[in-house]
Amino acid sequence: MKMDKKVAIITGSGRGIGRGIAIELAQAGWLIVINDIGNPDPPAETLSLVQAAGSDGHVVLADITVGTDRQRIVDEALQRFGRIDLLVNNAGIGPRVRKDILEVEEDSLHEVMNVNLIGPFFLTQCVARVMLEQIKEKVIEDPKIINIGSISAFTSSTSRPEYCLSKAGVAMSTLLYADRLANEGINVYEIRPGIIETPMTAVVKDKYDRLIDQGITPIKRWGQPQDIGKAVAAIASGFFPYSTGQVINVDGGFHIQRL
Ligand code: NAP
């Protein structure tokens, strides 16, 4: 069915930052394709929250590292809503076990790179092709792609180099697609979160509580998923038409070098 409302695909939106983005976009009237992997309960809960925010959505359980799954996300988005106006590459993982850079194993690097960089790279390729067709057919106008990067793109953590390398790659992927798609009418952005309170950071909560208390971020609080959601909604609303390949830091000022 073709809808007049704009449609966003958000990967990994069963919980955490992805769910925060889904709620903010739903409040702004967007229809949401909620993707997650594995357990169907968290994405179903995100769908309820999207509906409670006055919009609607569709859940696709799919692994973004698998080509046929990526295609299914796109196919189901089109079958259900008939258009794709925004892709948010949000799904991401850290290494299963944090190990010193001198001990890290090849499998761990491959796994993190596949989820954080290679899967999103090819999902972007797949979605961008559809967007180009839909622009030509006048189904959509000025679609956008947003990558959720990390301060780890420029901050060394020697106990999880896999994550840092993958996020540095996401930064370049943003620039590459921004360059290629600029003249086609698709702007590409990177949102770079700092320390955000989600299940991903729950395991290191005490450490980050202490660091925030000591002032590691000029804005002395944990970031919340809705902080990222608001930044996505601002870009999605179309108020940055002459910016592409742009990084938006949503990190409480973490990136500022201080003396
Ligand atoms: P999270 O709470 O762990 O949520 C990530 C979601 O992605 C989970 O629902 C997870 O599913 C899903 N996912 C994992 N692998 C997937 C795959 N192959 N295909 C589809 N979905 C998959 O993490 P978060 O903190 O919200 O992080 C979201 C994004 O922000 C990530 O890219 C992360 O690197 C980035 N980020 C987070 C922080 C932070 O402080 N939290 C800071 C900077 C950047 P399961 O639950 O089934 O595993």
Side-chain angles (χ1 to χ4, degrees):
M1 196 196 335
K2 183 171 175 299
M3 298 277 182
D4 291 331
K5 282 181 157 187
K6 289 190 171 183
V7 176
I9 295 174
I10 310 170
T11 64
S13 48
R15 67 182 203 193
I17 290 174
R19 178 180 283 178
I21 296 168
I23 293 168
E24 290 293 330
L25 285 179
Q27 283 170 354
W30 285 69
L31 295 163
I32 314 294
V33 177
I34 300 157
N35 154 252
D36 219 301
I37 187 173
N39 183 353
D41 295 339
E45 203 178 309
T46 300
L47 176 59
S48 301
L49 293 165
V50 161
Q51 288 166 338
S55 191
D56 203 358
H58 175 69
V59 173
V60 188
L61 292 177
D63 181 345
I64 57 156
T65 68
V66 177
T68 48
D69 278 26
R70 289 191 294 268
Q71 188 61 52
R72 195 158 47 77
I73 297 171
V74 172
D75 290 347
E76 289 194 30
L78 293 175
Q79 276 156 22
R80 178 68 202 274
F81 297 129
R83 57 190 287 173
I84 303 171
D85 300 87
L86 174 67
L87 167 66
V88 184
N89 283 307
N90 165 76
I93 59 169
R96 284 172 197 268
V97 184
R98 288 188 180 206
K99 284 191 180 172
D100 180 75
I101 190 167
L102 298 181
E103 307 296 330
V104 164
E105 285 164 28
E106 214 170 313
D107 283 353
S108 179
L109 180 58
H110 280 299
E111 183 178 38
V112 175
M113 292 297 257
N114 275 336
V115 177
N116 293 3
L117 178 62
I118 298 171
F121 176 89
F122 285 109
L123 181 60
T124 300
Q125 188 186 70
C126 186
V127 169
R129 288 175 180 157
V130 171
M131 286 174 166
L132 292 178
E133 276 302 306
Q134 294 207 312
I135 291 170
K136 212 184 304 166
E137 291 162 2
K138 300 197 183 311
V139 177
I140 56 172
E141 272 178 67
D142 60 20
K144 296 165 191 65
I145 295 166
I146 300 175
N147 291 324
I148 304 300
S150 171
I151 52 174
S152 294
F154 64 90
T155 306
S156 162
S157 300
T158 54
S159 63
R160 49 174 191 156
E162 306 95 315
Y163 188 75
C164 300
L165 285 166
S166 69
K167 292 298 184 178
V170 167
M172 180 46 83
S173 188
T174 304
L175 295 177
L176 286 163
Y177 275 114
D179 184 14
R180 173 63 181 82
L181 297 172
N183 218 26
E184 314 268 10
I186 304 174
N187 288 359
V188 184
Y189 306 85
E190 177 188 343
I191 289 180
R192 198 169 274 178
I195 301 169
I196 313 296
E197 196 164 14
T198 71
M200 181 186 266
T201 47
V203 282
V204 280
K205 181 158 187 331
D206 290 348
K207 176 184 165 189
Y208 286 144
D209 276 345
R210 214 170 34 250
L211 289 173
I212 291 167
D213 202 43
Q214 289 164 359
I216 196 166
T217 49
I219 299 175
K220 265 181 141 181
R221 69 165 172 86
W222 278 83
Q224 295 300 322
Q226 59 265 33
D227 291 316
I228 312 301
K230 286 184 197 307
V232 169
I235 293 170
S237 66
F239 290 128
F240 298 91
Y242 195 50
S243 302
T244 193
Q246 188 65 47
V247 176
I248 316 273
N249 294 295
V250 187
D251 64 354
F254 176 91
H255 66 282
I256 301 168
Q257 294 198 21
R258 294 185 287 167
L259 268 178

